Amino acid sequence: MSLNNPVRNLIFHWGNWLLYAPLSVLCIAVIMAVFALQYTANNLSVNTDTTDLIAPDAPFQQNRRKFEKAFPQDTHALLLVVESSTPELTKAAGKRLQRLLSADITHFTKVYNPDDNAFFHQNGLLYLDSDELQSLSNTLSQAQPFIGRISQEPSLNGFFSIFTDALDSANGPQELPIDLTSLITKVTNNLHKTVNDDKDLLSWQELIAEKTLSMGPKDKTFIFVLPKLDFSQMQPAENAIGAVRQAVAKIQDPNLPAVKVWITGEIGLEHDELTGISEGTFAASLFSVGLVCLILMIAYRSFLLTLATLLTITLGMIFSGLFAAFAVKQLNLISVAFAVSNIGLGVEYAIHFCLRYRDNLSVHRDRNQAIRAALMATSPSLILCAGTTSIGLYSFIPTDYQGISELGLLAGTSLFICLFVTLTALPALLKLLPVSPANESVPDFPGAAKIPEALATFTLHNAKPISIMTGILAVIAVILVIEVKTDFNPINLRDPGTESVIAFKDLMKDKDTTPMTLTVLAEDEATAKKYQQQLAVLNSVDKTVSLFDFLPSEQEDKLASIEEMNLMMGSVAQGFPRLNYDRDPTAEIHRLIKAIDSSLTKKTDALEIAAFQAFKQELNSILLELDTRQEPSRQQYLAKIQTSLLGTLPIVMNELINNFSAQEITLAGIPADIKERWLSKDGLYRIQIFPKKDLNDLANLKQFITDVQQVAPDATDLPVMYLESMKAVIDAFQEAIMIALVAIAMLLFFIRRNLIDTLLVMTPLVLAGLFTMASTVITETPINFANIIALPLLLGLGVDNGIHMVEKLRHSLSEEQNIYQSSTARGMFYGALTTISSFAGLAFSPHEGIASMGLVITIGIFWIMTCTFIILPALSKLVLKDEIQAAHH
């Protein structure tokens, strides 16, 4: 490529000025860099709120905003999942945690625990099915003698005496709540853990009151927390999550089993993702930086040239950051990738210049001449590369994806900044650095000189077979590209080993706990009920919940059953007493062991015999401990045993008794804190739709969304946001890439005025893109929110390489002139290696999205280099055959 005389004169005089006052140039650059850093630090921030990054005005975003405005309670919330060994301990821990978090107004605005609600404590039994309520009534009828007996003597003595009397009774264990052998097995397991210094609680809810109402699964308690977020920080929820962890530590009781609290939900997932991106990729980044430096050393065989390149890239990054602070003021999680794009493309400019300069040193021993010649030789191609690549990146600006739009603006402009720095600071640095091939160069690796020669021989001698094979591969790639998969679920991009992802996926496995539900808003009661009827019959829908589901069915019959249970419990219904820790149970334990020995002589069932013997062994262990302990250790040990066996019984019984005071429920009687989650202030009814299948399966997730949208097109919530966002992203990229390809082709044709050259530059770009997409199918790497960002970078690198190679081919048409030995080819090769090095380490990141991006970029660069170094020269030989023959003559 040639530039007209005025431009060449400008470059020539520019070079003279740089070489005349290199120190002044660098001093000015450093001073400007210091001010740029200060301005950037004060004016550039990172906004990690990704809510409106994608198609902010699209219908699905409008539906989301309408939902969040009507029901803001759980918007941007942390979901805390409380788990422990028993449902009683889980509930108690949830209540304590809620209290602590509610008191912390510094970090939280609202805390909601569905399980800790006086309304459900009183009326929970009304929400059981009639069959479940009858089953509970039967269980209580069977357990009533036991409950009455233990309430009279709520202690170890009373508990063990019931077992003794049951074994001695001629009529069998009439007072026990469940089968004797089954109960003995549960008690034995509990005693074994407790006696051996493990922590355990026997769950009486599971034994006698399993069907009492809990607004969730019995083994979990959910707490919804609205944290105060600071979006000026890289991790907006860090302080709030730290406060949650401190509160979790406070609710741990050293005398009871540990309580596990999982932090997940939208905010928890984003926090762990940001932590993973910053920490999980740190080692990979260090590896990449070291590898880039090593490749530069191999390329230059000069420490000073490597240093000059790194300093140039650093200056380019500083001034690019200044532009970002001025142009957008806030980076988002997508546009922050412009820094990576700068390194990948900016380093190539410096490599081309330094390699040409190093070659010139062997011809022009005078450094001034070598620098001036490098400036004049590389400027045309580098300017054209920056122009065409920036057009490709600028084409993303008009898209409806704000993250990519800003990325296109910043990355495209930064190319010119990096090019200007390369053509300004780098020549000045090289003027001052005493680079000398004779002194600082080291020999090439053995046989390295034969590689370009072999490559040239293979490519140019086999031009036709290579072209035919390329055509065949292109057809296969087109077929494969049809099968390209998209993964629109951001959960699959995150590190599967993080707490939030583990908890979220675990909840998704259960159709009753999955956070991946859909929401439909109805304008009035009739519409809401109509939607519920239509949605409930869908194959992918398990159930729907609305305000009307809080009106229990068959209330009159259920209230009668509850009254019967209340009468059945007798005096216990007035309240279950606290445990009595006063009496020594040694004598009662001896009596029980004697009763067990007597019963064993009558037993024939092997399982029963084994259960009774194990029970006896644990009782003897208790006696041994009591005999060998001194006060107060002895009393502490007894309290531990009694708490482990009976600690949850008063809690369960009093909770059940409280349910006996249930009253008829009307819509007007539903408390405001419950109603506001289902009926907005503006009169909108919320219908929550639960899936029937496991939504960890992407096909199930898509089917669920599709089915619901056929009934309610305006359905919203996380699944719809994920699917529609991915559609918007793909549409934005398809639009931008088409614009970019057309614009680049038009600019190339306008500058080169040659259709063949334009097609030759575009061919490796299109082929590399096609082969990269086909490779994602072969490697089973779906396109997702993260790796799709690789496309702008690959587009830029592909255009650059195509321009450089066609420019070189125009000057080296014959096979005797080996294009692969030129500084241009070496610059392309090492530039690609440095770019690969920048991203290859990311492929091993624990963050699935980052890893997939590193993999796709690495694959893409491989195909770009293959298309540029092998396919393009082969095609050029066939297309430019007449010109090659003319050059021979």
Side-chain angles (χ1 to χ4, degrees):
M1 172 189 173
S2 61
L3 297 176
N4 55 39
N5 287 334
V7 176
R8 292 185 64 85
N9 289 335
L10 177 62
I11 295 174
F12 180 80
H13 290 299
W14 178 257
N16 285 341
W17 178 72
L18 293 175
L19 296 176
Y20 176 74
L23 191 58
S24 300
V25 170
L26 291 177
C27 287
I28 293 172
V30 170
I31 292 172
M32 291 178 64
V34 171
F35 282 107
L37 278 174
Q38 184 176 4
Y39 181 88
T40 303
N42 294 333
N43 295 276
L44 184 63
S45 60
V46 177
N47 185 354
T48 50
D49 185 3
T50 59
T51 305
D52 292 318
L53 281 186
I54 303 170
D57 298 323
F60 76 93
Q61 290 281 29
Q62 294 175 9
N63 292 334
R64 172 190 61 84
R65 285 193 290 270
K66 181 181 178 181
F67 169 48
E68 291 181 352
K69 180 181 177 183
F71 301 97
Q73 297 90 346
D74 297 336
T75 303
H76 301 305
L78 285 168
L79 173 59
L80 308 184
V81 184
V82 185
E83 292 181 332
S84 72
S85 59
T86 63
E88 296 92 334
L89 180 57
T90 300
K91 286 182 183 179
K95 291 178 181 180
R96 292 182 62 198
L97 183 59
Q98 179 192 17
R99 184 190 65 77
L100 289 173
L101 298 180
S102 298
D104 187 354
I105 59 175
T106 302
H107 297 106
F108 309 106
T109 58
K110 192 169 185 179
V111 181
Y112 177 69
N113 178 359
D115 273 340
D116 188 22
N117 190 294
F119 176 78
F120 292 121
H121 290 330
Q122 176 181 346
N123 301 296
L125 294 180
L126 288 174
Y127 289 93
L128 297 178
D129 292 338
S130 296
D131 292 342
E132 292 176 334
L133 191 61
Q134 185 60 48
S135 175
L136 175 62
S137 178
N138 294 338
T139 301
L140 287 179
S141 176
Q142 181 182 354
Q144 194 278 333
F146 167 82
I147 295 171
R149 173 85 176 267
I150 193 68
S151 67
Q152 295 172 7
E153 191 176 2
S155 65
L156 283 177
N157 276 292
F159 181 63
F160 288 141
S161 69
I162 294 175
F163 279 94
T164 303
D165 293 347
L167 291 172
D168 288 342
S169 172
N171 297 323
Q174 296 298 314
E175 293 184 338
L176 296 178
I178 62 173
D179 172 68
L180 176 62
T181 304
S182 177
L183 181 59
I184 282 179
T185 300
K186 292 179 181 294
V187 170
T188 300
N189 291 336
N190 173 270
L191 288 176
H192 180 76
K193 292 180 181 179
T194 308
V195 168
N196 289 282
D197 289 330
D198 200 356
K199 300 182 181 74
D200 191 41
L201 281 175
L202 187 63
S203 173
W204 285 97
Q205 177 175 320
E206 294 177 349
L207 288 172
I208 61 175
E210 186 172 0
K211 294 299 183 181
T212 52
L213 180 75
S214 173
M215 296 309 290
K218 64 182 181 181
D219 59 335
K220 295 181 177 68
T221 284
F222 299 111
I223 301 178
F224 299 89
V225 182
L226 266 62
K228 293 182 179 179
L229 304 177
D230 182 2
F231 288 112
S232 65
Q233 296 184 7
M234 188 64 183
Q235 295 177 321
E238 184 173 15
N239 294 333
I241 289 179
V244 170
R245 298 196 191 283
Q246 290 178 1
V248 171
K250 290 179 181 179
I251 67 170
Q252 303 297 334
D253 189 327
N255 299 313
L256 297 177
V259 176
K260 173 64 179 175
V261 178
W262 300 87
I263 302 175
T264 186
E266 179 186 357
I267 299 300
L269 288 165
E270 289 179 1
H271 176 78
D272 278 353
E273 180 174 34
L274 293 173
T275 302
I277 290 174
S278 58
E279 296 178 1
T281 59
F282 182 69
S285 299
L286 287 180
F287 169 78
S288 296
V289 170
L291 197 56
V292 167
C293 292
L294 177 62
I295 291 170
L296 290 176
M297 285 294 296
I298 295 173
Y300 297 150
R301 290 168 288 155
S302 168
F303 170 76
L304 293 180
L305 286 179
T306 300
L307 179 63
T309 298
L310 295 177
L311 291 175
T312 302
I313 296 173
T314 302
L315 283 174
M317 289 297 301
I318 291 173
F319 292 122
S320 295
L322 173 65
F323 174 75
F326 178 77
V328 298
K329 295 183 174 57
Q330 281 190 327
L331 296 176
N332 54 60
L333 292 180
I334 306 298
S335 61
V336 74
F338 90 96
V340 181
S341 174
N342 267 4
I343 295 173
L345 294 171
V347 72
E348 189 179 355
Y349 298 155
I351 289 175
H352 278 287
F353 192 96
C354 287
L355 287 176
R356 180 57 65 93
Y357 167 67
R358 185 174 171 276
D359 284 355
N360 290 345
L361 282 178
S362 61
V363 179
H364 309 286
R365 286 294 177 177
D366 179 60
R367 280 209 300 267
N368 286 355
Q369 283 184 287
I371 294 172
R372 189 180 292 109
L375 191 63
M376 296 299 294
T378 58
S379 295
S381 291
L382 294 183
I383 292 172
L384 179 57
C385 286
T388 53
T389 304
S390 63
I391 285 179
L393 293 168
Y394 285 150
S395 65
F396 288 86
I397 294 176
T399 64
D400 207 15
Y401 186 0
Q402 182 183 339
I404 273 296
S405 177
E406 292 183 0
L407 174 61
L409 171 65
L410 297 179
T413 306
S414 295
L415 287 180
F416 291 111
I417 295 173
C418 289
L419 177 61
F420 181 78
V421 171
T422 299
L423 300 180
T424 302
L426 186 55
L429 278 168
L430 295 179
K431 167 68 175 177
L432 297 176
L433 295 175
V435 178
S436 171
N439 295 329
E440 293 199 20
S441 294
V442 296
D444 282 325
F445 294 112
K450 295 181 180 180
I451 297 176
E453 183 179 344
L455 187 58
T457 301
F458 170 77
T459 303
L460 300 179
H461 283 192
N462 298 281
K464 186 173 289 186
I466 289 173
S467 300
I468 294 172
M469 182 59 66
T470 299
I472 295 172
L473 290 176
V475 172
I476 296 173
V478 169
I479 297 173
L480 287 174
V481 166
I482 299 174
E483 302 298 323
V484 167
K485 304 294 183 184
T486 57
D487 186 352
F488 59 88
N489 189 350
I491 302 300
N492 296 334
L493 304 187
R494 297 178 165 106
D495 181 358
T498 56
E499 173 186 9
S500 60
V501 173
I502 293 172
F504 199 90
K505 287 191 172 183
D506 184 58
L507 293 176
M508 286 174 64
K509 293 176 183 177
D510 188 337
K511 59 188 178 183
D512 291 325
T513 64
T514 177
M516 296 289 279
T517 60
L518 292 176
T519 294
V520 174
L521 300 182
E523 300 289 341
D524 52 52
E525 179 178 335
T527 305
K529 291 181 176 178
K530 178 183 175 183
Y531 270 138
Q532 276 198 276
Q533 291 175 354
Q534 293 175 330
L535 292 166
V537 299
L538 296 177
N539 291 332
S540 58
V541 172
D542 179 62
K543 64 180 178 182
T544 62
V545 178
S546 74
L547 179 64
F548 310 111
D549 293 298
F550 289 85
L551 285 178
S553 61
E554 305 174 14
Q555 291 195 57
E556 187 175 342
D557 293 340
K558 290 179 180 178
L559 286 170
S561 297
I562 292 171
E563 179 62 26
E564 289 178 6
M565 284 189 279
N566 187 29
L567 295 173
M568 181 197 310
M569 298 305 296
S571 61
V572 177
Q574 304 304 312
F576 197 89
R578 287 176 168 272
L579 296 181
N580 183 354
Y581 289 90
D582 295 335
R583 290 182 55 191
D584 188 334
T586 304
E588 192 59 54
I589 293 175
H590 280 293
R591 280 188 62 216
L592 178 53
I593 291 174
K594 184 178 178 181
I596 292 173
D597 288 337
S598 176
S599 295
L600 280 173
T601 61
K602 307 171 187 176
K603 298 294 181 183
T604 57
D605 184 272
L607 292 177
E608 280 190 299
I609 293 172
F612 277 56
Q613 288 177 338
F615 189 28
K616 176 184 174 182
Q617 180 178 344
E618 299 304 332
L619 293 172
N620 281 320
S621 296
I622 294 175
L623 292 174
L624 177 63
E625 287 289 334
L626 293 177
D627 287 342
T628 54
R629 286 175 181 258
Q630 303 299 320
E631 299 294 350
S633 174
R634 196 169 185 274
Q635 287 301 317
Q636 291 172 351
Y637 184 73
L638 282 173
K640 178 181 177 181
I641 297 292
Q642 181 162 296
T643 299
S644 176
L645 282 175
L646 299 172
T648 66
L649 182 59
I651 298 173
V652 171
M653 290 309 306
N654 285 320
E655 180 180 324
L656 184 60
I657 291 166
N658 195 40
N659 272 270
F660 291 159
S661 60
Q663 298 179 352
E664 184 177 356
I665 298 172
T666 62
L667 279 179
I670 298 176
D673 62 335
I674 298 174
K675 185 180 290 186
E676 69 180 5
R677 292 178 169 271
W678 303 97
L679 178 62
S680 73
K681 295 177 181 178
D682 297 331
L684 289 175
Y685 288 84
R686 177 190 179 188
I687 304 160
Q688 189 174 16
I689 308 151
F690 288 79
K692 185 173 291 183
K693 298 178 181 178
D694 182 3
L695 295 193
N696 285 305
D697 185 326
L698 207 60
N700 291 342
L701 179 56
K702 194 168 186 177
Q703 187 63 49
F704 176 53
I705 297 169
T706 303
D707 288 350
V708 171
Q709 285 183 331
Q710 288 178 349
V711 174
D714 292 337
T716 186
D717 227 331
L718 285 181
V720 169
M721 293 300 299
Y722 292 165
L723 178 61
E724 296 297 336
S725 294
M726 192 66 202
K727 287 181 180 178
V729 168
I730 291 174
D731 289 344
F733 271 91
Q734 289 176 340
E735 173 191 351
I737 288 174
M738 291 304 298
I739 294 172
L741 291 175
V742 172
I744 289 170
M746 291 176 65
L747 180 62
L748 284 170
F749 182 73
F750 175 77
I751 293 177
R752 301 195 71 90
R753 305 300 175 98
N754 188 312
L755 180 59
I756 292 178
D757 279 12
T758 301
L759 292 176
L760 285 175
V761 171
M762 298 300 294
T763 297
L765 179 62
V766 174
L767 287 175
L770 191 62
F771 293 152
T772 301
M773 289 294 99
S775 297
T776 63
V777 177
I778 296 172
T779 59
E780 298 182 349
T781 305
I783 301 300
N784 53 49
F785 289 101
N787 61 33
I788 200 169
I789 299 171
L791 297 180
L793 179 61
L794 296 176
L795 184 70
L797 190 62
V799 172
D800 281 7
N801 283 355
I803 291 172
H804 286 307
M805 183 58 78
V806 170
E807 178 74 14
K808 193 62 187 174
L809 286 168
R810 279 292 180 185
H811 293 86
S812 307
L813 293 174
S814 66
E815 295 176 19
E816 287 76 11
Q817 295 174 295
N818 191 337
I819 58 172
Y820 300 107
Q821 290 179 331
S822 66
S823 62
T824 299
R826 285 183 283 123
M828 291 162 54
F829 176 73
Y830 288 117
L833 279 186
T834 54
T835 306
I836 288 178
S837 301
S838 301
F839 292 99
L842 299 179
F844 301 98
S845 169
H847 187 279
E848 297 288 330
I850 296 294
S852 69
M853 183 173 68
L855 178 63
V856 171
I857 290 178
T858 302
I859 292 173
I861 294 174
F862 166 78
W863 282 119
I864 286 172
M865 298 310 296
T866 301
C867 293
T868 304
F869 276 82
I870 297 177
I871 295 175
L872 180 56
L875 291 174
S876 298
K877 182 180 178 183
L878 298 179
V879 173
L880 305 175
K881 181 167 55 176
D882 294 338
E883 295 184 43
I884 293 175
Q885 290 175 352
H888 272 294
H889 299 293

